[in-house]
Amino acid sequence: MPVVGQSHRRIESKGKITGQAEYVMNMELPGMLHIKVLRSTVPHGRIKSIDTSAAEQIPGVVKVVTGADLQNMDIHMHYGPAFRDQPVLAFDKVCYIGDPVAAVIAETAAIAADAVNYINVDYEELEPVFDVLEAAKEGAPIVHEVIRPAGSFADLKNLLPKEGSNVCLHYKLRHGDLEKGFAEADHIFEDTFRTPAAVHLPMEQHVAIAQLDSNGRMNIWTANQSPSFIRSEVAYVLKKPESQVRVRVPYLGGGFGTKLYVKIEALVAVLALIVKKPVKLALTMEEVFITLTKHATVFKMRTGVTNDGRIVARDCQVYWDTGAYADIGPRITQKSGFTAAGPYDIPNVSIDSYCVYTNNVPAGAFRGFGVPQLVWAYESQMDIIAAKMGWDPLDFRRKQVLTEGKIHATGQKMTSVGLDQIIEELDRSIEWTAFYKEKQAGAIHRSGSKIRAKGTAIGLKAVLTPSISGSIVNLFADGSASVFCSTVDMGQGSDTMMGQIAAEVLGLPLEKVTVVHPDTDVTPYDTITAASRSTFYMGNAILKAAEDIRDQIFAHISGKYDVSAELLSLADEKVHVAGRPELAMTLKEAIKDIFYMPAGCIIGKYVFESHYQSPDPETGQSEDVAIFWFPGGTAVEIEVDTETGKIDILHMVSAGDVGKAINPFQVHQQLYGAAVMQIGQALFEECRYDYGQMINANMADYKVPTFKDLPGKSETIIVEVPHPEGPFGAKGVGETASFGVQPAIANALYQATGARVKSMPLTPEKVLRAIREVQQQRTAELQQQI
């Protein structure tokens, strides 16, 4: 193929390099006012009173708005993608430290920021709950007395909350006979693994502008990954028809899930409605920390294995700390819950996945959508079992990995899943087999206090299903084309990839295809840009829309020349007739022939919607729960300093089955980027709390990877097992390399030192403590032998 499968340079590269690419953060509208938000200082409490009088007297302050003011308006006060539990501004009580309580609208951002300090709030403090296991218990302080299901998405309509409890969702999966499986097991392993909250930290903070135009339409420019949802949810809040809300999204400076669904858009829209002027809210980086986090989790696992190395039973209990508001936590709890037992053919499985409210910062989508937390647990336990039984951990995985045609724990038959190929690539690239044989023979790669070792891990994720993507492709009279779609380019290079698909079908060079950025007045509906779904869903929509154009052209040419449409093809900007080269016609000539003039355009359109069978609410079983699955794997060689506990990654391999690489270079970039992001999660990133207050909510105290933390050698491996329904066989890739980094490093640490850490991150202090415990245990065992 001349375009698809080729590593074309990103079409937005020049604009970004020259600083001409458009971002909302840089936008200014005439007469625009600025917003700053006052946030709660208590984790759980009722608002007794708010005194705004001093703030209102500051020159340049236009308006100070509280939740009580909003109650006097004809709007809906709450929003949310799963449950409408989050108020535009808190008006009754606050649920975490950072909850928006009041908003100052001023002539400048500096004036607004200053005025916020002059607002006084009196709270009646309520008992908070911060620990997810405590919050899930009966009798725990209740965060939300009333929970309102949103009904916004088909897969969430059956996810009902448990009233009078902090467990806002309980997903269950039952496969086989768990008791029978454990009875057949020769050995049973029980472990508990923990992951902390972490933050996304995109380079561009949350920012939105809202303007009420002269026709009463609400115009919103926002740095958001889900413009179609923003339109519908803001319309709901304002009690306006969707046609009265227009949402535009230029480029995003990163998202990683924190910019999904409504974050600040409802607030700016309501404030624009109040002052009748354009308003802008740009969060500070410190505010980004307390807007959304990755879910902290507690994962309790019990696994039964036989002496011949078969896993026969696995019981999983996962607790997701969704914080003060559910956001998309219920979907994460369900979708990730599908795969909690791992990418393995286990005959007897029980999974209980709980989404739990606490008074911590809200948690939601984070690159990997909950799967990295699960893979960290089950892949760590895979090595624990293998070590105890004396098995090669990679062979142990080979023995039961899911392959083509096998039945997943959800009841769905696996299609296009290259897990076995990923295992072989990891083995080859890291030279695992040779390392393990040397290790069994007693070889230790030591240099002073530093020891080298290797580790591996694999994981599996289900794509968001059901889901919808619509596209329009317009072929102009000069033979160039525009693609209209609501996929947001947030650094993943989607504009380039979508353009490649259209160009391939239409026989055009990529430079003759323009991708129009999301504008809900212009671009069709798209569920979200997230969950590694865009290549598959929007790619299919664009492919079919382009094929619609192709078929219209073929219908005309076949009639003109009295030839079968099956003999026609598009390539090199021409229509070709098989066996009749003299009849070749340029696209420009073909369009002129169709419209009898060198003008007009041909429009193709398509809405791609996945098939889906909702899981049984009691068993979680479904024969069609995910339209595709994507697997990934990681292998690392590390060096750990036994005197300091510091881990350095010497070699990291990231492998992913992407179906078909539409743009191989971009696929390699996505694999590498996802893996590097997880290095921080593995080694030092965590949100630290003191009575609900995040105490490291700044870039000085919250540590992220720098160039010094990158692996000495990095390798990305593309595995291609084409999907029968994917565009040109493609699946997704954005999250694939995020799965296995944490457990691979932890498993390598064990191979090096015998130390097993069961809570992330692997900080030097934690690693050193674990190493000392192993050393003390070995000393005690030697003394007993003496």
Side-chain angles (χ1 to χ4, degrees):
M1 291 182 283
V3 185
V4 164
Q6 306 303 314
S7 294
H8 292 270
R9 187 178 66 182
R10 292 189 182 189
I11 61 177
E12 83 278 12
S13 296
K14 184 177 179 181
K16 289 184 175 179
I17 291 171
T18 59
Q20 294 177 312
E22 185 181 31
Y23 293 92
V24 177
M25 190 65 76
N26 300 330
M27 291 178 62
E28 297 283 339
L29 297 182
M32 188 172 72
L33 302 174
H34 296 265
I35 304 164
K36 288 295 178 180
V37 176
L38 175 71
R39 298 177 180 275
S40 169
T41 56
V42 302
H44 197 197
R46 299 203 178 278
I47 300 173
K48 295 172 65 176
S49 64
I50 303 179
D51 184 357
T52 64
S53 57
E56 290 169 339
Q57 299 304 312
I58 295 175
V61 170
V62 175
K63 184 80 174 176
V64 181
V65 179
T66 67
D69 297 323
L70 303 189
Q71 285 184 287
N72 295 323
M73 300 174 64
D74 184 22
I75 64 170
H76 288 120
M77 289 291 291
H78 295 86
Y79 62 87
F83 306 130
R84 288 192 171 117
D85 55 4
Q86 192 155 0
V88 178
L89 283 174
F91 59 92
D92 177 22
K93 73 172 190 174
V94 294
C95 295
Y96 77 101
I97 295 177
D99 221 346
V101 174
V104 174
I105 309 167
E107 294 173 358
T108 69
I111 293 173
D114 180 53
V116 163
N117 298 316
Y118 291 86
I119 302 173
N120 293 310
V121 185
D122 187 17
Y123 298 101
E124 175 194 345
E125 292 199 42
L126 303 173
E127 184 182 357
V129 59
F130 305 120
D131 180 86
V132 68
L133 296 181
E134 292 299 319
K137 293 179 181 178
E138 290 188 15
I142 298 299
V143 179
H144 292 284
E145 291 80 9
V146 177
I147 305 176
R148 310 165 186 81
S152 302
F153 299 105
D155 63 318
L156 299 179
K157 287 182 178 178
N158 296 323
L159 305 184
L160 300 178
K162 183 180 178 181
E163 295 288 351
S165 166
N166 290 320
V167 177
C168 61
L169 179 81
H170 176 195
Y171 166 72
K172 294 183 286 186
L173 185 146
R174 304 291 184 263
H175 179 72
D177 186 334
L178 191 69
E179 290 186 8
K180 178 174 177 290
F182 278 117
E184 294 173 353
D186 297 305
H187 306 273
I188 296 176
F189 295 82
E190 293 189 50
D191 296 283
T192 298
F193 299 89
R194 288 177 167 82
T195 53
V199 288
H200 310 68
L201 292 184
M203 293 183 69
E204 175 197 37
Q205 300 98 294
H206 297 267
V207 57
I209 297 171
Q211 178 191 44
L212 190 70
D213 66 23
S214 58
N215 295 318
R217 299 184 77 220
M218 185 60 66
N219 293 269
I220 298 173
W221 294 263
T222 179
N224 193 284
Q225 299 171 229
S226 41
S228 297
F229 181 79
I230 296 298
R231 176 187 60 189
S232 60
E233 196 71 351
V234 169
Y236 166 81
V237 169
L238 300 182
K239 295 186 178 180
K240 285 178 173 283
E242 288 189 31
S243 61
Q244 290 293 299
V245 177
R246 182 181 186 182
V247 179
R248 280 163 277 190
V249 179
Y251 288 113
L252 257 63
F256 314 116
T258 188
K259 296 176 182 174
L260 275 173
Y261 311 108
V262 174
K263 291 297 176 286
I264 59 175
E265 292 80 11
L267 177 59
V268 296
V270 170
L271 297 182
L273 193 64
I274 291 173
V275 297
K276 303 295 190 295
K277 288 186 176 183
V279 295
K280 181 178 185 177
L281 173 57
L283 300 189
T284 64
M285 187 58 76
E286 287 73 18
E287 288 179 298
V288 170
F289 277 86
I290 54 174
T291 296
L292 195 77
T293 71
K294 180 183 81 171
H295 282 83
T297 59
V298 177
F299 190 167
K300 299 180 179 181
M301 297 186 68
R302 190 162 60 105
T303 301
V305 297
T306 60
N307 285 328
D308 63 350
R310 290 291 304 174
I311 301 177
V312 291
R314 179 162 276 175
D315 184 18
C316 306
Q317 295 181 42
V318 192
Y319 294 83
W320 304 84
D321 182 351
T322 206
Y325 300 108
D327 197 83
I328 204 61
R331 176 179 279 162
I332 294 172
T333 301
Q334 183 207 44
K335 299 296 188 190
S336 297
F338 294 162
T339 62
Y344 301 111
D345 183 14
I346 305 174
N348 306 291
V349 173
S350 175
I351 297 172
D352 289 280
S353 190
Y354 303 94
C355 187
V356 185
Y357 284 121
T358 66
N359 292 112
N360 295 319
V361 173
F366 188 101
R367 193 173 194 171
F369 211 66
V371 171
Q373 293 99 305
L374 302 179
V375 180
W376 146 244
Y378 64 64
E379 285 300 272
S380 292
Q381 197 189 56
M382 289 296 284
D383 269 44
I384 289 172
I385 296 170
K388 179 70 174 178
M389 301 302 295
W391 301 327
D392 179 331
L394 208 56
D395 284 342
F396 181 43
R397 289 170 171 82
R398 282 190 181 97
K399 197 175 187 72
Q400 46 243 319
V401 70
L402 285 165
T403 53
E404 199 77 9
K406 288 187 176 181
I407 304 300
H408 186 264
T410 58
Q412 183 170 355
K413 181 184 289 188
M414 302 305 293
T415 301
S416 176
V417 54
L419 283 162
D420 50 350
Q421 295 184 38
I422 286 173
I423 289 176
E424 298 313 313
E425 290 290 350
L426 297 180
D427 190 354
R428 176 194 59 79
S429 60
I430 206 77
E431 297 180 340
W432 169 264
T433 300
F435 162 77
Y436 187 73
K437 287 180 179 178
E438 290 179 5
K439 177 73 167 42
Q440 292 302 100
I444 299 177
H445 298 270
R446 180 189 292 273
S447 176
S449 63
K450 297 180 179 180
I451 302 176
R452 294 187 177 192
K454 300 177 182 180
T456 63
I458 61 173
L460 181 70
K461 183 179 183 294
V463 74
L464 173 60
T465 312
S467 192
I468 302 170
S469 290
S471 177
I472 297 170
V473 178
N474 198 335
L475 183 64
F476 301 106
D478 65 352
S480 64
S482 282
V483 174
F484 297 81
C485 70
S486 290
T487 296
V488 177
D489 195 314
M490 51 192 179
Q492 82 279 37
S494 59
D495 282 4
T496 304
M497 187 273 297
M498 299 303 177
Q500 284 182 256
I501 291 174
E504 183 69 42
V505 175
L506 297 175
L508 297 174
L510 180 58
E511 57 268 22
K512 286 202 172 182
V513 178
T514 297
V515 178
V516 178
H517 281 173
D519 178 342
T520 56
D521 268 13
V522 177
T523 56
Y525 179 89
D526 186 36
T527 303
I528 53 173
T529 303
S532 303
R533 62 173 291 283
S534 295
T535 299
F536 189 92
Y537 281 93
M538 189 58 75
N540 263 317
I542 292 170
L543 180 133
K544 297 295 185 183
E547 287 180 342
D548 184 6
I549 291 175
R550 181 198 64 189
D551 292 345
Q552 293 178 58
I553 294 172
F554 284 0
H556 176 80
I557 300 299
S558 63
K560 178 181 179 68
Y561 292 132
D562 193 24
V563 298
S564 171
E566 295 178 357
L567 298 176
L568 304 179
S569 62
L570 291 177
D572 302 321
E573 303 181 70
K574 294 180 180 179
V575 184
H576 299 271
V577 183
R580 302 284 300 277
E582 73 279 4
L583 298 181
M585 181 184 294
T586 67
L587 283 173
K588 186 176 180 179
E589 292 170 337
I591 295 171
K592 182 179 179 180
D593 199 68
I594 290 171
F595 292 105
Y596 305 105
M597 63 179 72
C601 59
I602 304 176
I603 299 173
K605 62 183 186 298
Y606 195 82
V607 176
F608 182 84
E609 182 177 4
S610 58
H611 42 79
Y612 173 69
Q613 181 188 82
S614 182
D616 183 276
E618 292 302 316
T619 67
Q621 294 296 295
S622 169
E623 294 182 357
D624 193 11
V625 76
I627 196 168
F628 74 83
W629 304 78
F630 50 99
T634 304
V636 297
E637 181 178 13
I638 69 166
E639 186 173 70
V640 56
D641 191 327
T642 57
E643 291 185 354
T644 66
K646 185 177 185 297
I647 293 174
D648 290 311
I649 305 172
L650 306 177
H651 185 191
M652 180 173 67
V653 179
S654 305
D657 171 18
V658 304
K660 169 67 178 179
I662 301 295
N663 187 318
F665 180 68
Q666 288 190 182
V667 169
H668 283 295
Q669 286 183 313
Q670 286 292 291
L671 290 171
Y672 179 69
V676 168
M677 192 171 185
Q678 284 298 319
I679 289 174
Q681 309 288 305
L683 298 183
F684 31 75
E685 288 190 51
E686 62 177 319
C687 296
R688 298 168 56 209
Y689 289 95
D690 181 6
Y691 199 73
Q693 173 77 55
M694 193 184 297
I695 58 176
N696 62 334
N698 59 77
M699 294 300 293
D701 297 320
Y702 186 92
K703 305 303 180 184
V704 296
T706 68
F707 282 108
K708 289 184 178 181
D709 301 303
L710 297 181
K713 177 183 178 182
S714 292
E715 187 177 349
T716 53
I717 299 173
I718 296 174
V719 173
E720 293 183 309
V721 181
H723 194 281
E725 296 179 82
F728 303 103
K731 296 185 285 192
V733 67
E735 298 162 293
T736 307
S738 70
F739 305 154
V741 176
Q742 297 177 55
I745 294 173
N747 291 338
L749 173 65
Y750 176 84
Q751 293 293 336
T753 66
R756 174 61 63 179
V757 180
K758 297 182 182 179
S759 64
M760 281 282 123
L762 301 172
T763 61
E765 296 84 356
K766 199 181 294 183
V767 170
L768 188 60
R769 190 180 306 118
I771 291 172
R772 294 291 181 262
E773 289 174 357
V774 170
Q775 291 171 341
Q776 291 170 4
Q777 182 179 352
R778 288 173 178 171
T779 300
E781 290 172 353
L782 286 173
Q783 290 175 344
Q784 287 180 353
Q785 293 174 7
I786 295 173

